[in-house]
Amino acid sequence: MKRKQKTRRELPAIPDKLYFTISEVSQLCVLKAYVLRYWEQEFPQLRPIKRRGNRRFYQQEDIVLIRQIRKLLYEDGFTIDGARSQLSNTPETISQPVKINIMVKKVIAELESVLQNLQAEMKVSH
């Protein structure tokens, strides 16, 4: 009997902006907002800026951290305690593959944008 393999969903590129709402981060990390709020309690490194009305604003490094946590829990099979321990023991070695993946996705998104602009210019000039 063949075992059904989980299809790994590709995470979207992180847009180049300073602040993100919890709903934007939820979409970028493919997580529910309540999961993000729960992780804030469990991972001391995750501290988004809170503004009036207790609204959360995340920065790019927060999203990178969330993606690291997501990978540790969902792909590598760590428990929350194990993931917390991994992050506090070796933050740089764990985050390196995640950072590289994010940079590659950014470059691809930028190249696709350049290609679309070139194609649009080609249509106009003909």
Side-chain angles (χ1 to χ4, degrees):
M1 186 186 280
K2 269 192 177 179
R3 224 172 134 182
K4 204 175 196 181
Q5 262 194 320
K6 239 188 200 180
T7 53
R8 216 176 107 207
R9 189 167 173 194
E10 280 297 314
L11 299 175
I14 300 172
D16 202 20
K17 61 186 225 177
L18 289 178
Y19 298 105
F20 299 85
T21 65
I22 194 165
S23 63
E24 290 172 319
V25 175
S26 176
Q27 290 174 342
L28 289 169
C29 297
V30 191
L31 293 165
K32 301 282 186 196
Y34 69 85
V35 173
L36 294 170
R37 289 189 291 271
Y38 175 70
W39 285 359
E40 285 176 31
Q41 296 171 359
E42 296 297 324
F43 296 94
Q45 304 92 327
L46 183 56
R47 292 286 165 244
I49 298 167
K50 289 190 181 174
R51 296 275 162 83
R52 73 188 156 174
N54 232 9
R55 289 191 50 152
R56 292 162 171 80
F57 290 96
Y58 296 84
Q59 295 180 310
Q60 289 197 357
E61 53 268 14
D62 295 321
I63 297 172
V64 171
L65 176 61
I66 291 165
R67 287 184 173 189
Q68 284 177 242
I69 295 168
R70 183 183 190 280
K71 180 184 182 309
L72 288 169
L73 295 174
Y74 297 168
E75 294 174 29
D76 299 343
F78 283 92
T79 61
I80 287 195
D81 285 337
R84 190 183 310 118
S85 171
Q86 283 284 29
L87 287 171
S88 62
N89 288 342
T90 53
E92 279 312 306
T93 32
I94 293 171
S95 66
Q96 205 56 33
V98 175
K99 285 180 182 175
I100 290 170
N101 191 6
I102 289 168
M103 286 186 339
V104 166
K105 285 182 181 169
K106 255 188 183 175
V107 168
I108 289 171
E110 288 175 22
L111 288 172
E112 286 173 345
S113 172
V114 168
L115 180 62
Q116 286 175 349
N117 289 341
L118 288 172
Q119 288 172 337
E121 286 181 27
M122 294 286 283
K123 286 180 184 176
V124 172
S125 66
H126 280 106

